Amino acid sequence: MTSCETCVVRNRAICAGLDNNEISALNAIGRRRTVTPGESLIWEDDDSLLVANVIEGVLKLTTSTEDGREQIVGVAYPSDFIGRPFGQTSSASVVALTDARVCVFSRNDFDRFAREHPELEHKLLERTLAELDRTRSWMMLLGRKNASEKIATFLLEMSDRLAEVGCTPAFGPAKRFSLPFSRQQVADVLGLTIETVSRQFTKLKNDGVIELPSRREVEIVDRIGLQALAG
Amino acid sequence: MTSCETCVVRNRAICAGLDNNEISALNAIGRRRTVTPGESLIWEDDDSLLVANVIEGVLKLTTSTEDGREQIVGVAYPSDFIGRPFGQTSSASVVALTDARVCVFSRNDFDRFAREHPELEHKLLERTLAELDRTRSWMMLLGRKNASEKIATFLLEMSDRLAEVGCTPAFGPAKRFSLPFSRQQVADVLGLTIETVSRQFTKLKNDGVIELPSRREVEIVDRIGLQALAG
DNA sequence: CGCGCTTTTTGATATCCGTCAAGGCCGTGG
DNA sequence: CCACGGCCTTGACGGATATCAAAAAGCGCG
């Protein structure tokens, strides 16, 4: 079995299901790249020139208004696919939150390869459908939840996603984890201000639901309580 | 050219690109159905048993919290695809807003057919990617826009989408159109309350930006002004 | 250790929007 | 024609969250 250098992370990669020749061909058109926190890979409204697979690290997908308000519309973890295949422009910017390794493809090359490999397109479709589900459930949060419900939901989701992606030693949701987000970025995910985020974190700590060992570290002390708050 | 009875609406249908035999086969597994306003086709969190193509009419996709708060996470127009292929459960309910005609498929049948017809899967992928783009730009609205920006953005989007779908005689954005939404449903799209929606409509009318000939009718008087408000 | 910078927290105040309540509009049916 | 019921509008009020401001906490670095 030829290993897929471009995208393999456990068995969630888009190349799962391709045969050896196909994997070699995909390797041939991909190029590894590293990005550092704050560095952009893709710009909103720019021509969609490249797509990529995340190998390691966490990146944010954002949209902004002209007057500088920002909304984080998605978060990409290892094995996630980023960029806009089969489209002229990207609808979101992609910026690294941590040091990250990705495998980038020219969009044209990738589109052509995908069209010739239905199994890959199918994987891409499954992921896109799953991402759409996740995005829709986030709309519920943005439109209908209050600040404390938003924070509780966010912490539970982070705990699940970071565990899933292997950022914690054992499986299952992580009790303690390191946030890849600053307070401002948490606010940009939840549609809140940094002050409201800070106050809600403090409240959860005072109520004994979480511990905050350092700025980026979170420990979930009372998961049941947090789930009740998330609604 | 065999006509695709299941889904053809202009050239946006998912079966565009299939050959005659394929279209016949697709026709064979689909079944036409009508739904009336308020009637559900798909229930949130239920097993994903069917998918469908909208032939005529408008439907809403919603998610709800246990305590009854509702968020409309998408709107399906003619030629749109609804339901969750390749997944165990649906993440949203689908309910008709107007009288609608749809072509339903058993999800199993459709999944099998799609996997055997890469061209169809490709179309589905393109639509899903486009829907994800639209959904993400709606997250910006929910998280970061205020009530008047939300309403302005909503009216402009409605005007575009209804025109696109052929609900108005001429092409281009519709100057005047009939909302398929009640005030409560507009509120559920925008993450507002019915009272706030009503007040914003009244304000736009008083400012001479729109006319409201009847409860469901909207006429855009000052599109430029509306665009400025949308931000 | 102290200095300067950024990020976060905390406090005071303002404001937008939600909530509650009443009244108006309009289609439907007696 | 009037009465009814659903939907919409309007008003008064309060509260959650934004805004503005300043202090505190980290953190790198000399």
Side-chain angles (χ1 to χ4, degrees):
Chain A
M1 183 71 187
T2 304
S3 82
C4 177
E5 297 173 16
T6 56
C7 54
V8 157
V9 175
R10 305 221 309 276
N11 54 356
R12 307 206 302 130
I14 54 167
C15 52
L18 300 188
D19 69 27
N20 288 357
N21 287 340
E22 292 172 318
I23 288 175
S24 298
L26 187 59
N27 283 340
I29 62 171
R31 193 166 52 78
R32 293 232 179 183
R33 200 178 138 183
T34 63
V35 280
T36 55
E39 197 177 340
S40 294
L41 255 178
I42 293 170
W43 285 263
E44 185 180 359
D45 298 327
D46 265 23
D47 287 345
S48 172
L49 296 177
L50 59 86
V51 298
N53 243 284
V54 181
I55 298 169
E56 193 183 341
V58 183
L59 302 94
K60 64 173 181 176
L61 283 60
T62 65
T63 59
S64 301
T65 53
E66 292 166 18
D67 61 347
R69 284 173 285 178
E70 178 169 320
Q71 176 67 45
I72 295 182
V73 297
V75 183
Y77 297 90
S79 90
D80 283 346
F81 185 84
I82 53 185
R84 177 59 160 94
F86 309 117
Q88 288 311 303
T89 59
S90 304
S91 68
S93 302
V94 179
V95 181
L97 294 176
T98 64
D99 283 309
R101 285 188 301 137
V102 297
C103 175
V104 298
F105 304 88
S106 125
R107 184 180 68 80
N108 283 332
D109 291 350
F110 184 85
D111 285 2
R112 200 174 312 116
F113 186 90
R115 297 233 44 170
E116 288 162 3
H117 297 86
E119 191 56 37
L120 176 64
E121 276 213 325
H122 178 74
K123 278 282 183 310
L124 205 49
L125 175 57
E126 291 212 334
R127 276 151 178 286
T128 308
L129 287 165
E131 183 64 21
L132 186 56
D133 283 349
R134 216 193 324 274
T135 304
R136 284 176 171 159
S137 77
W138 214 249
M139 290 177 84
M140 171 79 233
L141 173 144
L142 288 173
R144 292 299 186 198
K145 290 191 177 179
N146 64 27
S148 80
E149 291 171 319
K150 284 180 177 180
I151 295 283
T153 307
F154 170 79
L155 289 175
L156 289 169
E157 154 118 1
M158 285 310 299
S159 146
D160 289 350
R161 289 274 262 162
L162 290 174
E164 209 174 85
V165 126
C167 298
T168 48
F171 262 39
K175 183 165 154 48
R176 179 171 171 159
F177 53 89
S178 182
L179 279 180
F181 299 101
S182 70
R183 292 289 184 270
Q184 180 60 59
Q185 286 159 352
V186 174
D188 291 339
V189 172
L190 299 176
L192 297 171
T193 59
I194 183 173
E195 295 94 333
T196 300
V197 171
S198 178
R199 279 186 251 268
Q200 293 291 335
F201 269 67
T202 303
K203 181 162 192 321
L204 287 176
K205 189 179 68 178
N206 292 341
D207 292 351
V209 180
I210 61 171
E211 277 302 318
L212 298 170
S214 77
R215 288 183 166 181
R216 292 292 184 119
E217 297 283 320
V218 178
E219 182 176 333
I220 298 180
V221 176
D222 177 7
R223 177 170 289 267
I224 307 293
L226 205 55
Q227 282 163 347
L229 286 172
Chain B
M1 183 72 186
T2 304
S3 83
C4 177
E5 298 172 14
T6 57
C7 53
V8 157
V9 175
R10 305 223 308 276
N11 54 356
R12 306 206 303 130
I14 54 167
C15 52
L18 300 188
D19 68 28
N20 289 356
N21 287 340
E22 291 172 319
I23 288 175
S24 299
L26 187 59
N27 284 339
I29 62 171
R31 192 166 54 77
R32 292 229 179 186
R33 204 182 136 179
T34 63
V35 281
T36 55
E39 197 177 340
S40 294
L41 256 179
I42 293 170
W43 286 264
E44 185 181 359
D45 297 330
D46 266 23
D47 287 345
S48 173
L49 295 177
L50 59 86
V51 297
N53 241 285
V54 181
I55 297 168
E56 194 183 340
V58 183
L59 303 94
K60 65 173 180 175
L61 282 61
T62 65
T63 60
S64 301
T65 53
E66 292 166 17
D67 60 349
R69 284 173 284 178
E70 178 168 320
Q71 176 68 45
I72 295 182
V73 297
V75 183
Y77 297 91
S79 90
D80 283 346
F81 186 83
I82 53 184
R84 179 58 160 93
F86 309 117
Q88 288 310 303
T89 60
S90 304
S91 69
S93 302
V94 178
V95 180
L97 294 176
T98 65
D99 283 310
R101 287 188 300 137
V102 298
C103 174
V104 298
F105 304 88
S106 126
R107 183 180 68 81
N108 283 332
D109 291 350
F110 184 86
D111 285 1
R112 200 174 311 116
F113 186 90
R115 297 233 44 170
E116 288 163 2
H117 297 87
E119 191 55 37
L120 176 63
E121 276 213 324
H122 178 74
K123 279 280 181 312
L124 205 50
L125 175 57
E126 291 212 333
R127 277 152 177 286
T128 308
L129 286 164
E131 183 63 21
L132 186 57
D133 282 350
R134 215 190 328 271
T135 303
R136 283 176 171 160
S137 78
W138 214 249
M139 289 178 83
M140 171 79 233
L141 173 144
L142 289 173
R144 292 300 185 198
K145 290 192 177 179
N146 63 27
S148 81
E149 292 171 319
K150 284 181 177 178
I151 294 284
T153 307
F154 171 78
L155 290 174
L156 290 169
E157 155 118 0
M158 285 309 300
S159 146
D160 289 348
R161 290 273 263 162
L162 290 174
E164 209 173 86
V165 126
C167 298
T168 49
F171 263 37
K175 182 166 155 50
R176 178 171 172 160
F177 53 88
S178 182
L179 279 180
F181 300 100
S182 70
R183 293 289 185 271
Q184 181 60 60
Q185 287 159 352
V186 175
D188 290 339
V189 173
L190 299 177
L192 296 172
T193 60
I194 184 173
E195 295 94 333
T196 300
V197 171
S198 179
R199 278 186 252 268
Q200 293 292 334
F201 270 64
T202 304
K203 182 163 192 318
L204 287 176
K205 189 179 69 177
N206 292 341
D207 292 352
V209 179
I210 61 171
E211 279 300 318
L212 299 170
S214 78
R215 287 181 168 182
R216 293 290 185 121
E217 297 286 318
V218 178
E219 182 175 335
I220 297 179
V221 177
D222 177 7
R223 177 170 290 266
I224 308 293
L226 206 53
Q227 283 163 346
L229 286 171

